[in-house]
Amino acid sequence: MLTNKPNFIKKYKQSIRILPLGILILCFLISCGSDKKEYVNAPLDNETMPSMRDDSVTMLISDSGLIKYKLITKDWEFFENAKDPHWYFPEGIYVEQFDTSFQKQTSLKADTAWNFTLRKLWRLKGNVFIENIQGETFSTDELFWDEKEQKFYSDKYIEIKRPEKLMLKGIGFESNLNMTQYRIFRPHDTDIYFEDKQNTEPQN
């Protein structure tokens, strides 16, 4: 009888050590299960919660079988179930536009961007910068890109720098898709810059 007592005590002590751990695991599983249930049943706000998100994206976009654009972004959020479905690029966007020979025609970048997919309208916000094939650059704080009308437009202040040292400034802007035909609605403070010619004649 006494020979079996140590084994009994040993098993009993083991059960005492195991019991609290089992209770903790059980409580943890119950709490996890309840958290999961609460998360699944929680209503989603389609206006503020993206239905899908992707990061570090480089994408080629084609139209009628031809590659028209290259898009690069760090963060791409999809709000397909919102009242006005859109893509959101909170970390900025960079886009290149190509011709039929895959030659770059225009490059564009902005701090933040939205693409309202049903309306085919892009909103570019913050340090918007565009360069066209002629080497002209366009800088503004906000710009809209209408895919249906095939044009860019803005009601904000804009600066246009030309390779011939001409700078155009004004409020309100409209352009074709290639940024080669454009106008400023309220131009002002236009400056023409000239390069200084250094005197190369030998000194006496």
Side-chain angles (χ1 to χ4, degrees):
M1 294 291 296
L2 293 177
T3 56
N4 292 332
K5 186 173 182 180
N7 292 333
F8 173 79
I9 294 175
K10 185 177 181 181
K11 291 180 182 179
Y12 179 78
K13 287 183 178 180
Q14 289 176 344
S15 65
I16 293 296
R17 289 197 298 267
I18 294 173
L19 181 60
L21 180 60
I23 293 174
L24 288 175
I25 294 174
L26 180 61
C27 292
F28 176 77
L29 292 175
I30 293 174
S31 63
C32 288
S34 61
D35 289 343
K36 185 176 181 181
K37 182 178 180 181
E38 182 180 355
Y39 175 77
V40 171
N41 291 335
L44 296 178
D45 186 349
N46 294 325
E47 302 300 320
T48 59
M49 295 292 293
S51 56
M52 188 170 65
R53 173 179 289 161
D54 204 350
D55 57 11
S56 300
V57 177
T58 299
M59 176 180 291
L60 297 176
I61 302 172
S62 64
D63 184 13
S64 302
L66 297 174
I67 296 176
K68 290 292 187 68
Y69 306 99
K70 180 172 74 173
L71 183 152
I72 301 175
T73 185
K74 292 181 180 179
D75 193 1
W76 189 342
E77 299 181 2
F78 298 79
F79 291 83
E80 300 295 340
N81 298 319
K83 293 180 180 178
D84 191 359
H86 61 278
W87 304 340
Y88 178 45
F89 304 88
E91 298 296 324
I93 191 173
Y94 174 79
V95 178
E96 291 182 352
Q97 179 190 3
F98 304 105
D99 63 10
T100 55
S101 301
F102 202 58
Q103 299 297 315
K104 186 176 71 172
Q105 299 291 298
T106 308
S107 62
L108 175 156
K109 62 181 179 180
D111 290 345
T112 313
W114 297 258
N115 176 21
F116 299 95
T117 52
L118 292 183
R119 292 190 283 156
K120 295 187 178 299
L121 180 67
W122 289 74
R123 180 192 177 196
L124 310 168
K125 179 70 175 175
N127 295 311
V128 182
F129 182 85
I130 299 178
E131 183 175 6
N132 66 15
I133 194 172
Q134 299 169 350
E136 298 172 314
T137 62
F138 305 77
S139 302
T140 185
D141 183 63
E142 185 177 45
L143 190 69
F144 291 89
W145 171 9
D146 191 324
E147 294 185 70
K148 288 183 178 179
E149 299 294 330
Q150 295 286 290
K151 68 178 183 179
F152 288 95
Y153 65 88
S154 175
D155 60 358
K156 306 297 183 182
Y157 174 79
I158 190 168
E159 291 184 354
I160 304 172
K161 294 182 180 180
R162 291 177 169 177
E164 64 270 21
K165 304 300 179 181
L166 173 66
M167 177 181 287
L168 305 177
K169 304 177 184 179
I171 306 294
F173 172 81
E174 186 179 69
S175 171
N176 66 343
L177 195 59
N178 294 327
M179 301 294 283
T180 54
Q181 299 177 12
Y182 52 83
R183 62 172 176 162
I184 297 176
F185 297 127
R186 294 164 53 194
H188 64 83
D189 295 336
T190 297
D191 299 320
I192 300 178
Y193 297 94
F194 298 94
E195 293 182 354
D196 293 333
K197 294 183 178 180
Q198 297 181 353
N199 187 2
T200 58
E201 295 180 0
Q203 299 293 328
N204 294 329

